[in-house]
mmCIF file with all atom_site columns, all heavy atoms in Angstrom:
data_model
loop_
_atom_site.group_PDB
_atom_site.id
_atom_site.type_symbol
_atom_site.label_atom_id
_atom_site.label_alt_id
_atom_site.label_comp_id
_atom_site.label_asym_id
_atom_site.label_entity_id
_atom_site.label_seq_id
_atom_site.pdbx_PDB_ins_code
_atom_site.Cartn_x
_atom_site.Cartn_y
_atom_site.Cartn_z
_atom_site.occupancy
_atom_site.B_iso_or_equiv
_atom_site.pdbx_formal_charge
_atom_site.auth_seq_id
_atom_site.auth_comp_id
_atom_site.auth_asym_id
_atom_site.auth_atom_id
_atom_site.pdbx_PDB_model_num
ATOM 1   N N   . VAL A 1 15 ? -9.559  4.741  -13.443 1.00 50.00 ? 15 VAL A N   1
ATOM 2   C CA  . VAL A 1 15 ? -9.091  6.118  -13.528 1.00 50.00 ? 15 VAL A CA  1
ATOM 3   C C   . VAL A 1 15 ? -9.788  6.862  -14.648 1.00 50.00 ? 15 VAL A C   1
ATOM 4   O O   . VAL A 1 15 ? -10.275 7.992  -14.465 1.00 50.00 ? 15 VAL A O   1
ATOM 5   C CB  . VAL A 1 15 ? -7.562  6.169  -13.729 1.00 50.00 ? 15 VAL A CB  1
ATOM 6   C CG1 . VAL A 1 15 ? -7.096  7.599  -13.928 1.00 50.00 ? 15 VAL A CG1 1
ATOM 7   C CG2 . VAL A 1 15 ? -6.847  5.560  -12.527 1.00 50.00 ? 15 VAL A CG2 1
ATOM 8   N N   . GLY A 1 33 ? -9.936  8.202  -3.176  1.00 98.00 ? 33 GLY A N   1
ATOM 9   C CA  . GLY A 1 33 ? -9.259  7.256  -4.052  1.00 98.00 ? 33 GLY A CA  1
ATOM 10  C C   . GLY A 1 33 ? -7.755  7.432  -4.009  1.00 98.00 ? 33 GLY A C   1
ATOM 11  O O   . GLY A 1 33 ? -7.250  8.505  -3.687  1.00 98.00 ? 33 GLY A O   1
ATOM 12  N N   . GLY A 1 34 ? -7.046  6.367  -4.347  1.00 98.00 ? 34 GLY A N   1
ATOM 13  C CA  . GLY A 1 34 ? -5.590  6.461  -4.386  1.00 98.00 ? 34 GLY A CA  1
ATOM 14  C C   . GLY A 1 34 ? -4.922  5.134  -4.088  1.00 98.00 ? 34 GLY A C   1
ATOM 15  O O   . GLY A 1 34 ? -5.412  4.074  -4.487  1.00 98.00 ? 34 GLY A O   1
ATOM 16  N N   . THR A 1 35 ? -3.813  5.186  -3.363  1.00 97.00 ? 35 THR A N   1
ATOM 17  C CA  . THR A 1 35 ? -3.003  4.003  -3.116  1.00 97.00 ? 35 THR A CA  1
ATOM 18  C C   . THR A 1 35 ? -3.770  2.921  -2.366  1.00 97.00 ? 35 THR A C   1
ATOM 19  O O   . THR A 1 35 ? -4.468  3.191  -1.378  1.00 97.00 ? 35 THR A O   1
ATOM 20  C CB  . THR A 1 35 ? -1.726  4.376  -2.334  1.00 97.00 ? 35 THR A CB  1
ATOM 21  O OG1 . THR A 1 35 ? -0.947  3.191  -2.111  1.00 97.00 ? 35 THR A OG1 1
ATOM 22  C CG2 . THR A 1 35 ? -2.054  5.002  -0.994  1.00 97.00 ? 35 THR A CG2 1
ATOM 23  N N   . LEU A 1 64 ? -6.532  3.067  -7.095  1.00 96.00 ? 64 LEU A N   1
ATOM 24  C CA  . LEU A 1 64 ? -6.140  3.851  -8.259  1.00 96.00 ? 64 LEU A CA  1
ATOM 25  C C   . LEU A 1 64 ? -4.632  4.035  -8.327  1.00 96.00 ? 64 LEU A C   1
ATOM 26  O O   . LEU A 1 64 ? -4.113  4.536  -9.320  1.00 96.00 ? 64 LEU A O   1
ATOM 27  C CB  . LEU A 1 64 ? -6.792  5.241  -8.198  1.00 96.00 ? 64 LEU A CB  1
ATOM 28  C CG  . LEU A 1 64 ? -8.317  5.313  -8.094  1.00 96.00 ? 64 LEU A CG  1
ATOM 29  C CD1 . LEU A 1 64 ? -8.750  6.762  -7.929  1.00 96.00 ? 64 LEU A CD1 1
ATOM 30  C CD2 . LEU A 1 64 ? -8.967  4.697  -9.309  1.00 96.00 ? 64 LEU A CD2 1
ATOM 31  N N   . GLY A 1 65 ? -3.933  3.666  -7.248  1.00 95.00 ? 65 GLY A N   1
ATOM 32  C CA  . GLY A 1 65 ? -2.513  3.993  -7.134  1.00 95.00 ? 65 GLY A CA  1
ATOM 33  C C   . GLY A 1 65 ? -2.355  5.429  -6.680  1.00 95.00 ? 65 GLY A C   1
ATOM 34  O O   . GLY A 1 65 ? -3.282  6.253  -6.786  1.00 95.00 ? 65 GLY A O   1
ATOM 35  N N   . SER A 1 66 ? -1.176  5.750  -6.166  1.00 96.00 ? 66 SER A N   1
ATOM 36  C CA  . SER A 1 66 ? -0.927  7.107  -5.680  1.00 96.00 ? 66 SER A CA  1
ATOM 37  C C   . SER A 1 66 ? -1.081  8.133  -6.791  1.00 96.00 ? 66 SER A C   1
ATOM 38  O O   . SER A 1 66 ? -1.783  9.142  -6.642  1.00 96.00 ? 66 SER A O   1
ATOM 39  C CB  . SER A 1 66 ? 0.480   7.194  -5.075  1.00 96.00 ? 66 SER A CB  1
ATOM 40  O OG  . SER A 1 66 ? 0.594   6.371  -3.932  1.00 96.00 ? 66 SER A OG  1
ATOM 41  N N   . SER A 1 67 ? -0.434  7.893  -7.924  1.00 96.00 ? 67 SER A N   1
ATOM 42  C CA  . SER A 1 67 ? -0.498  8.848  -9.034  1.00 96.00 ? 67 SER A CA  1
ATOM 43  C C   . SER A 1 67 ? -1.910  8.971  -9.584  1.00 96.00 ? 67 SER A C   1
ATOM 44  O O   . SER A 1 67 ? -2.389  10.070 -9.885  1.00 96.00 ? 67 SER A O   1
ATOM 45  C CB  . SER A 1 67 ? 0.466   8.428  -10.147 1.00 96.00 ? 67 SER A CB  1
ATOM 46  O OG  . SER A 1 67 ? 1.808   8.473  -9.697  1.00 96.00 ? 67 SER A OG  1
ATOM 47  N N   . GLY A 1 68 ? -2.612  7.834  -9.706  1.00 97.00 ? 68 GLY A N   1
ATOM 48  C CA  . GLY A 1 68 ? -3.971  7.862  -10.216 1.00 97.00 ? 68 GLY A CA  1
ATOM 49  C C   . GLY A 1 68 ? -4.911  8.619  -9.295  1.00 97.00 ? 68 GLY A C   1
ATOM 50  O O   . GLY A 1 68 ? -5.793  9.342  -9.754  1.00 97.00 ? 68 GLY A O   1
ATOM 51  N N   . GLY A 1 69 ? -4.715  8.449  -7.984  1.00 98.00 ? 69 GLY A N   1
ATOM 52  C CA  . GLY A 1 69 ? -5.550  9.172  -7.032  1.00 98.00 ? 69 GLY A CA  1
ATOM 53  C C   . GLY A 1 69 ? -5.352  10.664 -7.102  1.00 98.00 ? 69 GLY A C   1
ATOM 54  O O   . GLY A 1 69 ? -6.321  11.436 -7.097  1.00 98.00 ? 69 GLY A O   1
ATOM 55  N N   . VAL A 1 70 ? -4.092  11.102 -7.175  1.00 98.00 ? 70 VAL A N   1
ATOM 56  C CA  . VAL A 1 70 ? -3.805  12.539 -7.255  1.00 98.00 ? 70 VAL A CA  1
ATOM 57  C C   . VAL A 1 70 ? -4.334  13.105 -8.572  1.00 98.00 ? 70 VAL A C   1
ATOM 58  O O   . VAL A 1 70 ? -4.909  14.200 -8.602  1.00 98.00 ? 70 VAL A O   1
ATOM 59  C CB  . VAL A 1 70 ? -2.293  12.805 -7.102  1.00 98.00 ? 70 VAL A CB  1
ATOM 60  C CG1 . VAL A 1 70 ? -1.975  14.285 -7.318  1.00 98.00 ? 70 VAL A CG1 1
ATOM 61  C CG2 . VAL A 1 70 ? -1.811  12.359 -5.720  1.00 98.00 ? 70 VAL A CG2 1
ATOM 62  N N   . LYS A 1 71 ? -4.168  12.356 -9.643  1.00 98.00 ? 71 LYS A N   1
ATOM 63  C CA  . LYS A 1 71 ? -4.671  12.816 -10.942 1.00 98.00 ? 71 LYS A CA  1
ATOM 64  C C   . LYS A 1 71 ? -6.185  12.974 -10.907 1.00 98.00 ? 71 LYS A C   1
ATOM 65  O O   . LYS A 1 71 ? -6.735  13.977 -11.407 1.00 98.00 ? 71 LYS A O   1
ATOM 66  C CB  . LYS A 1 71 ? -4.275  11.823 -12.030 1.00 98.00 ? 71 LYS A CB  1
ATOM 67  C CG  . LYS A 1 71 ? -4.637  12.260 -13.442 1.00 98.00 ? 71 LYS A CG  1
ATOM 68  C CD  . LYS A 1 71 ? -4.098  11.270 -14.468 1.00 98.00 ? 71 LYS A CD  1
ATOM 69  C CE  . LYS A 1 71 ? -4.402  11.730 -15.887 1.00 98.00 ? 71 LYS A CE  1
ATOM 70  N NZ  . LYS A 1 71 ? -3.878  10.767 -16.898 1.00 98.00 ? 71 LYS A NZ  1
ATOM 71  N N   . ALA A 1 72 ? -6.879  11.994 -10.294 1.00 98.00 ? 72 ALA A N   1
ATOM 72  C CA  . ALA A 1 72 ? -8.333  12.087 -10.196 1.00 98.00 ? 72 ALA A CA  1
ATOM 73  C C   . ALA A 1 72 ? -8.756  13.261 -9.322  1.00 98.00 ? 72 ALA A C   1
ATOM 74  O O   . ALA A 1 72 ? -9.745  13.944 -9.616  1.00 98.00 ? 72 ALA A O   1
ATOM 75  C CB  . ALA A 1 72 ? -8.893  10.775 -9.643  1.00 98.00 ? 72 ALA A CB  1
ATOM 76  N N   . LEU A 1 73 ? -8.021  13.516 -8.244  1.00 98.00 ? 73 LEU A N   1
ATOM 77  C CA  . LEU A 1 73 ? -8.325  14.661 -7.373  1.00 98.00 ? 73 LEU A CA  1
ATOM 78  C C   . LEU A 1 73 ? -8.198  15.969 -8.139  1.00 98.00 ? 73 LEU A C   1
ATOM 79  O O   . LEU A 1 73 ? -9.077  16.835 -8.073  1.00 98.00 ? 73 LEU A O   1
ATOM 80  C CB  . LEU A 1 73 ? -7.377  14.654 -6.169  1.00 98.00 ? 73 LEU A CB  1
ATOM 81  C CG  . LEU A 1 73 ? -7.469  15.866 -5.241  1.00 98.00 ? 73 LEU A CG  1
ATOM 82  C CD1 . LEU A 1 73 ? -8.785  15.834 -4.462  1.00 98.00 ? 73 LEU A CD1 1
ATOM 83  C CD2 . LEU A 1 73 ? -6.274  15.906 -4.295  1.00 98.00 ? 73 LEU A CD2 1
ATOM 84  N N   . LEU A 1 74 ? -7.110  16.133 -8.864  1.00 98.00 ? 74 LEU A N   1
ATOM 85  C CA  . LEU A 1 74 ? -6.877  17.381 -9.593  1.00 98.00 ? 74 LEU A CA  1
ATOM 86  C C   . LEU A 1 74 ? -7.896  17.582 -10.712 1.00 98.00 ? 74 LEU A C   1
ATOM 87  O O   . LEU A 1 74 ? -8.178  18.718 -11.094 1.00 98.00 ? 74 LEU A O   1
ATOM 88  C CB  . LEU A 1 74 ? -5.450  17.389 -10.160 1.00 98.00 ? 74 LEU A CB  1
ATOM 89  C CG  . LEU A 1 74 ? -4.329  17.452 -9.112  1.00 98.00 ? 74 LEU A CG  1
ATOM 90  C CD1 . LEU A 1 74 ? -2.969  17.286 -9.766  1.00 98.00 ? 74 LEU A CD1 1
ATOM 91  C CD2 . LEU A 1 74 ? -4.401  18.771 -8.329  1.00 98.00 ? 74 LEU A CD2 1
ATOM 92  N N   . VAL A 1 78 ? -12.468 12.934 -7.698  1.00 98.00 ? 78 VAL A N   1
ATOM 93  C CA  . VAL A 1 78 ? -12.573 12.478 -6.315  1.00 98.00 ? 78 VAL A CA  1
ATOM 94  C C   . VAL A 1 78 ? -12.424 13.692 -5.415  1.00 98.00 ? 78 VAL A C   1
ATOM 95  O O   . VAL A 1 78 ? -11.919 14.742 -5.834  1.00 98.00 ? 78 VAL A O   1
ATOM 96  C CB  . VAL A 1 78 ? -11.521 11.402 -5.957  1.00 98.00 ? 78 VAL A CB  1
ATOM 97  C CG1 . VAL A 1 78 ? -11.685 10.156 -6.812  1.00 98.00 ? 78 VAL A CG1 1
ATOM 98  C CG2 . VAL A 1 78 ? -10.103 11.950 -6.059  1.00 98.00 ? 78 VAL A CG2 1
ATOM 99  N N   . LEU A 1 80 ? -10.971 13.482 -2.170  1.00 98.00 ? 80 LEU A N   1
ATOM 100 C CA  . LEU A 1 80 ? -9.720  13.342 -1.428  1.00 98.00 ? 80 LEU A CA  1
ATOM 101 C C   . LEU A 1 80 ? -8.918  12.218 -2.055  1.00 98.00 ? 80 LEU A C   1
ATOM 102 O O   . LEU A 1 80 ? -9.478  11.226 -2.537  1.00 98.00 ? 80 LEU A O   1
ATOM 103 C CB  . LEU A 1 80 ? -9.989  13.005 0.045   1.00 98.00 ? 80 LEU A CB  1
ATOM 104 C CG  . LEU A 1 80 ? -10.720 14.057 0.886   1.00 98.00 ? 80 LEU A CG  1
ATOM 105 C CD1 . LEU A 1 80 ? -11.155 13.449 2.212   1.00 98.00 ? 80 LEU A CD1 1
ATOM 106 C CD2 . LEU A 1 80 ? -9.830  15.280 1.113   1.00 98.00 ? 80 LEU A CD2 1
ATOM 107 N N   . ALA A 1 81 ? -7.597  12.360 -2.034  1.00 98.00 ? 81 ALA A N   1
ATOM 108 C CA  . ALA A 1 81 ? -6.716  11.302 -2.518  1.00 98.00 ? 81 ALA A CA  1
ATOM 109 C C   . ALA A 1 81 ? -5.825  10.830 -1.375  1.00 98.00 ? 81 ALA A C   1
ATOM 110 O O   . ALA A 1 81 ? -5.562  11.564 -0.419  1.00 98.00 ? 81 ALA A O   1
ATOM 111 C CB  . ALA A 1 81 ? -5.858  11.795 -3.682  1.00 98.00 ? 81 ALA A CB  1
ATOM 112 N N   . VAL A 1 82 ? -5.375  9.588  -1.478  1.00 98.00 ? 82 VAL A N   1
ATOM 113 C CA  . VAL A 1 82 ? -4.394  9.047  -0.537  1.00 98.00 ? 82 VAL A CA  1
ATOM 114 C C   . VAL A 1 82 ? -3.193  8.548  -1.334  1.00 98.00 ? 82 VAL A C   1
ATOM 115 O O   . VAL A 1 82 ? -3.347  7.970  -2.412  1.00 98.00 ? 82 VAL A O   1
ATOM 116 C CB  . VAL A 1 82 ? -4.978  7.923  0.331   1.00 98.00 ? 82 VAL A CB  1
ATOM 117 C CG1 . VAL A 1 82 ? -5.803  8.492  1.463   1.00 98.00 ? 82 VAL A CG1 1
ATOM 118 C CG2 . VAL A 1 82 ? -5.814  6.944  -0.481  1.00 98.00 ? 82 VAL A CG2 1
#
Side-chain angles (χ1 to χ4, degrees):
V15 175
T35 180
L64 303 175
S66 296
S67 296
V70 175
K71 185 175 183 180
L73 174 70
L74 293 173
V78 299
L80 296 168
V82 281

